[in-house]
Amino acid sequence: MAEIPTPYTSGTPALKETAEELRARIPGWGVDLDPADRPSYPREQPGIETGARWDFPERQPEKWPRERSVEHAFVTPVFGTSTPPKGISGALRKYAYRKYSEGRAAHWLVLIAADRVDAWESHLRSFATLRPDNPVTETGVLSEFSHHGASSRVGKRRADLNHQWIDPILVGAPWVLAGLGAVAAFRTLRKHRPA
């Protein structure tokens, strides 16, 4: 097999620059080169039996094009397949991986936005089914009244008490705004309907 410049091989890849060049260019580079300073050093020795029966893991087949970080030459040998990219959220995820490095905040912010868009796509898709989403039961708000919600907070030192005031706004406001938007759209259509 040809030399693959990834962390997925069993051997340690060779450095593109020598240790001296790196030390001269990057302040503090190589401070952990002394084996006495590194607890992981014994397992890095060549010839230690690891139990692996492969030099490079068998690649999982791709059933659709996967997102791949710009830092890697190809997708990881094993990856998740539970949620294929679809719709606007899939386009946002592909954009995050194609445009930004994983070391950039923009990469992760676009992925977070894609998760929110995916949630709304799922909500909207549920309205086309016989069992649409029910925000009252699915958010667990009814358990506040049936399972001692208020008494579990009063006089307790729970970590989530400092943000509980905003939780109803974050969870309920989008549904209220969507309902108001639907009512406004219905009124506008009714007003402009030909007589």
Side-chain angles (χ1 to χ4, degrees):
M1 177 179 245
E3 180 65 28
I4 300 171
T6 70
Y8 312 121
T9 56
S10 61
T12 304
L15 294 173
K16 293 181 181 178
E17 300 178 57
T18 65
E20 291 74 28
E21 291 171 333
L22 288 168
R23 193 173 290 112
R25 187 170 59 84
I26 304 170
W29 188 90
V31 294
D32 60 349
L33 284 180
D34 183 8
D37 293 338
R38 288 203 330 267
S40 65
Y41 180 72
R43 68 187 170 122
E44 295 174 2
Q45 294 300 308
I48 291 178
E49 188 60 38
T50 63
R53 293 180 290 282
W54 46 264
D55 183 49
F56 185 80
E58 183 180 328
R59 297 188 57 79
Q60 178 180 346
E62 287 186 59
K63 294 183 178 160
W64 59 83
R66 298 296 308 180
E67 302 87 15
R68 175 182 59 81
S69 172
V70 295
E71 285 93 359
H72 298 285
F74 49 83
V75 73
T76 57
V78 178
F79 48 84
T81 58
S82 65
T83 53
K86 60 187 180 309
I88 297 170
S89 61
L92 284 170
R93 287 187 178 97
K94 289 176 185 175
Y95 177 77
Y97 278 100
R98 187 174 43 250
K99 180 79 172 160
Y100 299 110
S101 162
E102 290 183 12
R104 303 268 316 271
H107 173 85
W108 300 104
L109 291 173
V110 172
L111 288 178
I112 290 171
D115 285 345
R116 296 293 78 218
V117 169
D118 187 34
W120 275 102
E121 286 174 338
S122 298
H123 290 317
L124 293 175
R125 201 173 312 117
S126 79
F127 291 127
T129 66
L130 296 175
R131 295 186 59 133
D133 288 349
N134 183 344
V136 174
T137 58
E138 292 175 6
T139 57
V141 72
L142 295 179
S143 66
E144 290 291 321
F145 307 106
S146 62
H147 289 83
H148 313 291
S151 64
S152 70
R153 290 183 186 84
V154 178
K156 308 289 192 271
R157 298 186 59 178
R158 289 177 39 171
D160 63 344
L161 293 180
N162 60 353
H163 65 77
Q164 78 178 23
W165 65 270
I166 200 167
D167 290 344
I169 297 169
L170 291 176
V171 173
W175 288 101
V176 171
L177 291 174
L180 292 174
V183 168
F186 177 73
R187 285 184 177 170
T188 303
L189 287 173
R190 225 173 81 191
K191 188 166 93 174
H192 289 79
R193 188 177 63 191

